[in-house]
Amino acid sequence: MIPIKITERTLIKASNPPISTPKVLISNLDLIIGHFQGTIISIYPAPSSPFQTIVSTIQSKLPFFLNYLYPYTGRIIADPVSNLSSLICNNHGAEFVVGETETPLSSIDFGDMDQSLSLIHLPFALDLPLSLQLVRFGCGGFSLSWGMSHLLQDGHGIATIVTAWSNFVRTGTLSEIPNHDRSIFVPRLPLRYNPLLDQEFTLYKPSELINVLSTASLLRKIYRVEAIDIDRIRAEASGPIRATRLEAVSAYVWKLLATAVGALDTTCRLAWIIDGRKRLGPKYKEAMKCYLGNVITYTSREARVDEIKKQSLMYGAALMREAIEEVSCEERFEQLVDWMEEHKNAGKWTETVGVGLGSPTIVISFMPFRLKQDFGFGDPVLTLPWMRPGRLGSCSLNIIRSHGNDGSLLVTARLWPSLAEVMRQDAEKIFKPVTAESLGFLPATTSRL
């Protein structure tokens, strides 16, 4: 356990809110993802400055930073007419929470997410767009967590906000202003989309989802993939086309999944969450600069277990490449906008591939860019996304670049126990559990008399 004592919980308003806000603050692409909370958590070693200096810095800078994030000082509500999630820009304030614990970072089992990030994250109200949480540990290190609703931004948007904060605190300004205007993603008239999209989405009804005991059995782990291992499997996954890091890691994970499935099923699947910003045409180029809203889609491939086992890593990498190519176009996202316009009043939707029915599936997301998070107190040693376990039964891997220049990747994983055991026993040891020691947090030495 990590007992955290809350010493302060306040609401901080934007100091000079804009006179007007964009007419469209929630797009159909946002509604597809829906309103659920997610947090990005950064762990910092003990700085030279006192903890109160960090608190004071945030308290003094945040009101001015929120002028650029004015929607995040509002409240998320259900529209009284449509019951759809909507946003009120009323400057009621973003939440700022300060906590402390006597637990040193060296004693935390970072390899087990339920014994680390899940205990560092502090619950916050569902109507809050932003809860900024600062926690001091017994060793003097601290965590800074950005709790948000996925309704307002995707992973790229979160990364933009976190990086912008660090730049703002250090320089007092922003080189690029966050774009909150969703009017670029309005439905076409007449609506037009591929009817196969109906099969890609499922209503999020508890009665039609995996039961809570089944999803609770999934293990939540944190791994590191070293650069030397990435280079090796990338070489194995490359042929006429050089495999990307994500293609190589995906192909390797697919083999681990096939091993875990064994004779229990004939097929297994991988799915990928794709950022559409660079896949949209010229008319979207200007709007996508510093755009915070959701611009993501899913794609997946199903393959025979015996083929995944038998073929080289090039096979899995090629399947992934083909799957992503199919959704890497402007038309895909415009069809999603149109599809949601016709289906948004039916209820909350989720991607069918993530539900956990059918062949065993792992959903993979990748944040390819390095976050800049030194806001005056040094760089963190760990930054990872955290989401509350839900009722979806598929496994997931969230991959992010580690800090520093060592080329390694960090992975938060939600796994079936059998798959976690295959990863543990893997002779190549590609996925290494993160430990406090590997992050540089060593136990305090005990002096001898």
Side-chain angles (χ1 to χ4, degrees), residues 208-229:
E208 298 178 8
L209 299 175
I210 301 297
N211 69 73
V212 293
L213 292 180
S214 295
T215 54
S217 68
L218 294 171
L219 304 177
R220 287 149 61 84
K221 302 290 186 179
I222 303 177
Y223 299 102
R224 184 188 299 275
V225 183
E226 303 290 354
I228 189 171
D229 294 322

Side-chain angles (χ1 to χ4, degrees), residues 223 256 418-427 429 431 433:
Y223 299 102
L256 296 176
S418 57
L419 178 55
E421 183 62 17
V422 168
M423 295 172 74
R424 187 186 70 82
Q425 294 186 5
D426 178 33
K429 302 296 182 186
F431 291 88

Side-chain angles (χ1 to χ4, degrees), residues 241-252:
I241 300 177
R242 177 168 167 76
T244 65
R245 290 175 298 166
L246 181 57
E247 288 168 353
V249 172
S250 295
Y252 195 86

Side-chain angles (χ1 to χ4, degrees), residues 100-113:
E100 59 182 27
T101 178
E102 295 182 0
T103 304
L105 290 166
S106 60
S107 69
I108 296 176
D109 181 4
F110 283 99
D112 186 337
M113 203 186 319

Side-chain angles (χ1 to χ4, degrees), residues 44-58 134-137 139-142 169-170 374-378:
Y44 292 77
S48 57
S49 303
F51 182 67
Q52 187 55 44
T53 302
I54 305 173
V55 175
S56 299
T57 297
I58 294 176
L134 179 68
V135 175
R136 181 189 184 278
F137 292 85
C139 57
F142 67 94
V169 174
R170 295 178 68 88
D374 179 1
F375 64 105
F377 304 96

Side-chain angles (χ1 to χ4, degrees), residues 289-309:
K289 291 181 178 179
C290 225
Y291 183 82
L292 298 184
N294 289 282
V295 196
I296 57 176
T297 187
Y298 282 58
T299 189
S300 65
R301 270 295 181 274
E302 189 165 22
R304 290 187 59 84
V305 169
D306 55 1
E307 283 295 311
I308 293 295
K309 287 182 175 181

